[in-house]
Amino acid sequence: MEKEVKYTTWVENATGIQGPTGSLDGELQVQVSSPLKAVAGTNPEQLVGLAFATCLNATIEAEEKRRGFDHQSVVRVKSEMGPDTLGYQFWLTAYVKIPQVDRATVQAILEKSEKRCPMAKLLGASLNVTIKLVDEFEEV
């Protein structure tokens, strides 16, 4: 089956872990830095966490609307980084709160959204990725 591409973007990093980077069209420009150093900028942990939270919540929003609910879901992603035998690895935990419906409906919305979300599909095979349904968020 041939892929049908609906959107394409190009991003580039020529500076490594510290410096400016972004999309080639100039719409996204960020300063990146290591999370292990006191240097201003965002880091890969924040970017992958934000991409996952945004994509999963957008997919949940579509499912909420499909079922006739107002969009009220919130997705928080804890992004962690630590050493492994070859360098470093990430652990992502997505915490999902959908307050306006009963637990069974919330489970169904989340299950469907996990199957539809492009980032969940991309990350889903990893043992380092977890999605948890919560009634309330813990303080961070």
Side-chain angles (χ1 to χ4, degrees), residues 1-8:
M1 184 171 124
E2 190 174 326
K3 65 182 177 184
E4 178 185 345
V5 177
K6 298 278 190 182
Y7 173 76
T8 299

Short mmCIF file of all heavy atoms in Angstrom, two decimals, residues 1-8:
data_model
loop_
_atom_site.label_atom_id
_atom_site.label_comp_id
_atom_site.label_asym_id
_atom_site.label_seq_id
_atom_site.Cartn_x
_atom_site.Cartn_y
_atom_site.Cartn_z
N MET A 1 0.83 -1.17 0.00
CA MET A 1 0.00 0.00 0.00
C MET A 1 0.88 1.25 0.00
O MET A 1 1.78 1.39 0.82
CB MET A 1 -0.91 -0.02 1.23
CG MET A 1 -1.88 1.12 1.27
SD MET A 1 -3.07 0.86 2.60
CE MET A 1 -2.83 2.36 3.50
N GLU A 2 0.64 2.14 -0.91
CA GLU A 2 1.41 3.38 -1.01
C GLU A 2 0.93 4.36 0.06
O GLU A 2 -0.26 4.49 0.32
CB GLU A 2 1.22 3.99 -2.40
CG GLU A 2 2.15 5.14 -2.67
CD GLU A 2 2.05 5.63 -4.10
OE1 GLU A 2 1.82 4.80 -5.00
OE2 GLU A 2 2.19 6.84 -4.29
N LYS A 3 1.88 5.06 0.67
CA LYS A 3 1.49 6.01 1.71
C LYS A 3 0.91 7.28 1.09
O LYS A 3 1.32 7.71 0.02
CB LYS A 3 2.67 6.36 2.61
CG LYS A 3 3.81 7.10 1.92
CD LYS A 3 4.94 7.35 2.88
CE LYS A 3 6.10 8.02 2.16
NZ LYS A 3 7.26 8.21 3.00
N GLU A 4 -0.09 7.85 1.77
CA GLU A 4 -0.70 9.10 1.35
C GLU A 4 -0.27 10.17 2.35
O GLU A 4 -0.71 10.19 3.50
CB GLU A 4 -2.23 8.99 1.36
CG GLU A 4 -2.91 10.28 0.97
CD GLU A 4 -4.43 10.20 1.08
OE1 GLU A 4 -4.98 9.08 1.18
OE2 GLU A 4 -5.05 11.26 1.09
N VAL A 5 0.62 11.05 1.93
CA VAL A 5 1.18 12.06 2.81
C VAL A 5 0.27 13.29 2.82
O VAL A 5 -0.02 13.86 1.78
CB VAL A 5 2.60 12.46 2.36
CG1 VAL A 5 3.16 13.58 3.23
CG2 VAL A 5 3.52 11.24 2.38
N LYS A 6 -0.18 13.69 4.02
CA LYS A 6 -1.05 14.86 4.19
C LYS A 6 -0.28 16.10 4.62
O LYS A 6 -0.76 17.21 4.49
CB LYS A 6 -2.12 14.57 5.24
CG LYS A 6 -3.04 13.43 4.88
CD LYS A 6 -4.12 13.91 3.97
CE LYS A 6 -5.17 12.83 3.80
NZ LYS A 6 -6.20 13.22 2.90
N TYR A 7 0.90 15.92 5.19
CA TYR A 7 1.70 17.05 5.67
C TYR A 7 3.15 16.62 5.72
O TYR A 7 3.46 15.48 6.08
CB TYR A 7 1.24 17.47 7.06
CG TYR A 7 2.13 18.52 7.70
CD1 TYR A 7 2.05 19.85 7.30
CD2 TYR A 7 3.05 18.19 8.68
CE1 TYR A 7 2.86 20.82 7.88
CE2 TYR A 7 3.85 19.14 9.26
CZ TYR A 7 3.76 20.46 8.86
OH TYR A 7 4.57 21.41 9.42
N THR A 8 4.03 17.52 5.40
CA THR A 8 5.47 17.28 5.48
C THR A 8 6.14 18.51 6.07
O THR A 8 5.77 19.64 5.74
CB THR A 8 6.08 17.01 4.09
OG1 THR A 8 5.47 15.86 3.53
CG2 THR A 8 7.58 16.80 4.16
#
